[in-house]
Each structure stands twice: as structure tokens, then as C-alpha cells.
Amino acid sequence: MKSKEKLMKNKTMNLIYAVWAILLGAGGGIWLYILMGKYYNSATNDFGASYAALTPFKLFLALSVVLSAVIAVLIRKKTKNQIKTPNTVFFIAAVLFAVSGIASAVMILTKKPGASGIFAALTWLCILTELAVTVYFIIQSMRKGEKSDLLCLSLPLWSIFSVASSYFNPDFTYTNFLRTVQSLALAAMILFFLAYIREILGKKFYMLKVLSSAAALILGTSYISARLIYVLTHGGFLLSDALEISLIGALIFIAASVICEKKPDHDDADSEAEVQNQTEEE
């Protein structure tokens, strides 16, 4: 009973933490959208000379990430529990990654992004890893527990190629603040996915998972919500926007991985053994 109560408590704390991070990210996204409406130049996809107006927002993001990470460390102690991402979450994330990969491939084949050779090559690498992630998520959605295989490496590889593709994207200047937020979110995802792979291999890296999930959820939600609202209200859907559909799937997966836990199988066996021993003693 104590183990079940502790498990439920952990799940509740995880849920509060994930909702807190997502709400901060959503609030940041609305704030960033307002700033884009005032200062963003859609012709150059840049804020131009208005970067000083972004300083309060930059401080908000930094403080949100640090505060969330500190709260997570304080309220959550190291646990022996395993992650158990719901199969539905795997399926939803797989659909989003598949849509992103297919839409990006169609755009690059039909509309021609007019990008440099490096950007085009990195875009195809993103598409290929998105499809690999799709296959991995579909396989996981049909399993009872999360298991490792070579396809799990597609998660950090997708993040790495996405950062590189964003850097060489000719649609944005190198100093573009949106690209900076996106790159930081993807960098946090790289760390999270590495921690995730270690966890399903049975070698946890708890602090890395906690800290990277805070940064990924807040920065990723801020960026994607602001960009999504801006595209819906102002138009101008770009190839990079098609690639970023997968970012939504990654955020859903990260949030679910943070929230969901289950007892290790050996703990269940140990509990049954303890009950049997108590019965024999009586």
C-alpha cells in the first residue's frame, strides 16, 4: 500500500510540475506573439532594431527555466520507478512526426525552398529521422512496456539535425531571436532524449532528465505557440514550419514521459515475496 501511495504521490507531483512548465511556456508564447505583432518584420523574419524590447521577455524565460528546475529538484527526490508513457501518447506523437516529415518532403519537392545545399541536405536528414521516430513511436505504442532498440537513437539525432537545419535556414537571420529560442529548446530535447534512452536501458540520469525537461517544455512551448499563432493570423507558412510540426509531438511525448511512472518489475516481485513470507510466518 505504501508503495502505491508513494507512486500516486509521485505522479501527482509530476503532473503539477509538467502543467506548471507548460503554462509558463504558453504564457511566454502569448507574450512573444504580442512582441512579434509589435516589432516583428515578416518580410525579413526578424525583429530588426527592436531587440531591446525583448529584454524583459528574455529574463522571463531564463527565470522560468531556472525556477522550474529548482522546484522540480526540491519536490521530487530520486525514484526507482520506471517511466511508462501511455500508448496513446506514442501514437499521437507518431502521427505528428509523420505529418511533419511528409509535409516537409512535399514542400521541398514541389515548392523548392530555394535553400543552400547544406540546408537542403539537413532538411532531408530531419525528414528521414522524423520518419524513423515515427516508426519507433508506432512500435512502442504496441508494446506493454518501453524497450530500447536502435530506432530510439533517432530521437536525439532528430533534435541535432533540427538544430543544424535551423542554423542554416536562409529564411531567418543568424541573430533571429525566434531561432535562438527554438535552438535552445531543441538542445534541451537532445539532453532529455539522451536521459530517456539511459532510463529505458536501466541507467538513470535523474538530474539531467529533470533539468532538460524544464527547459524543453518552457522554451519549446513558448516558441511553437508564438510561431503557430503568428502563422495562423499572418500567414506565410514556411518549410521550417512544416518541420516544426514534429516539435509539438516531441513536447507531448516529453510531458507524458515526465508525468507517467510505474513500479519496476522487480519491485512487484519483491512485494509479492514479502506478502508470501508474512503469510508463511503467520
Side-chain angles (χ1 to χ4, degrees):
M1 289 296 292
K2 288 184 178 180
S3 62
K4 288 185 178 180
E5 290 176 359
K6 186 177 181 180
L7 180 62
M8 289 303 299
K9 181 180 179 181
N10 285 345
K11 285 185 176 181
T12 302
M13 300 304 284
N14 290 342
L15 177 61
I16 293 173
Y17 164 66
V19 171
W20 162 269
I22 291 172
L23 288 178
L24 281 177
I30 294 172
W31 188 357
L32 182 56
Y33 170 72
I34 294 173
L35 292 173
M36 290 176 70
K38 289 183 177 180
Y39 305 111
Y40 197 68
N41 186 339
S42 58
T44 60
N45 286 319
D46 198 7
F47 284 93
S50 305
Y51 273 90
L54 299 176
T55 301
F57 179 73
K58 294 177 183 178
L59 292 174
F60 165 78
L61 280 185
L63 290 174
S64 296
V65 171
V66 173
L67 181 61
S68 297
V70 170
I71 290 175
V73 172
L74 291 177
I75 67 175
R76 284 299 317 277
K77 297 180 180 179
K78 291 183 179 180
T79 175
K80 293 182 180 180
N81 294 330
Q82 300 171 340
I83 51 173
K84 179 59 184 80
T85 309
N87 292 349
T88 305
V89 172
F90 276 121
F91 181 75
I92 293 173
V95 170
L96 290 170
F97 269 85
V99 170
S100 179
I102 294 171
S104 301
V106 170
M107 288 188 70
I108 200 172
L109 289 172
T110 58
K111 297 185 178 181
K112 294 184 180 180
S116 65
I118 296 177
F119 176 61
L122 289 170
T123 299
W124 279 113
L125 287 173
C126 287
I127 292 171
L128 290 175
T129 50
E130 283 176 344
L131 296 178
V133 170
T134 300
V135 174
Y136 173 72
F137 281 162
I138 290 175
I139 292 173
Q140 294 290 2
S141 69
M142 296 185 290
R143 289 174 171 170
K144 293 183 179 180
E146 293 174 57
K147 299 178 181 179
S148 63
D149 50 46
L150 286 176
L151 282 174
C152 68
L153 295 176
S154 60
L155 289 166
L157 285 175
W158 163 77
S159 304
I160 292 170
F161 291 140
S162 295
V163 172
S165 174
S166 174
Y167 181 78
F168 287 102
N169 189 345
D171 293 326
F172 299 92
T173 61
Y174 289 112
T175 57
N176 187 290
F177 179 66
L178 287 177
R179 172 156 46 189
T180 301
V181 176
Q182 178 202 33
S183 297
L184 290 174
L186 288 168
M189 288 183 181
I190 294 172
L191 298 177
F192 179 87
F193 290 139
L194 290 175
Y196 167 78
I197 292 173
R198 283 178 59 93
E199 188 162 358
I200 59 178
L201 289 173
K203 300 177 181 179
K204 291 191 176 184
F205 200 160
Y206 177 77
M207 289 303 298
L208 179 62
K209 180 181 177 181
V210 169
L211 297 176
S212 60
S213 64
L217 289 174
I218 293 173
L219 296 173
T221 305
S222 293
Y223 170 77
I224 200 65
S225 56
R227 182 65 191 170
L228 181 62
I229 297 172
Y230 188 84
V231 170
L232 290 175
T233 55
H234 293 76
F237 189 81
L238 303 172
L239 173 60
S240 57
D241 296 314
L243 289 169
E244 288 161 5
I245 296 174
S246 56
L247 190 63
I248 302 174
L251 289 171
I252 293 173
F253 170 70
I254 291 172
S257 297
V258 169
I259 295 170
C260 301
E261 287 185 352
K262 77 179 185 72
K263 291 190 299 181
D265 296 334
H266 63 78
D267 280 7
D268 293 336
D270 292 343
S271 298
E272 291 177 2
E274 287 179 5
V275 172
Q276 187 174 3
N277 290 335
Q278 288 178 359
T279 304
E280 289 177 356
E281 290 176 359
E282 291 176 355

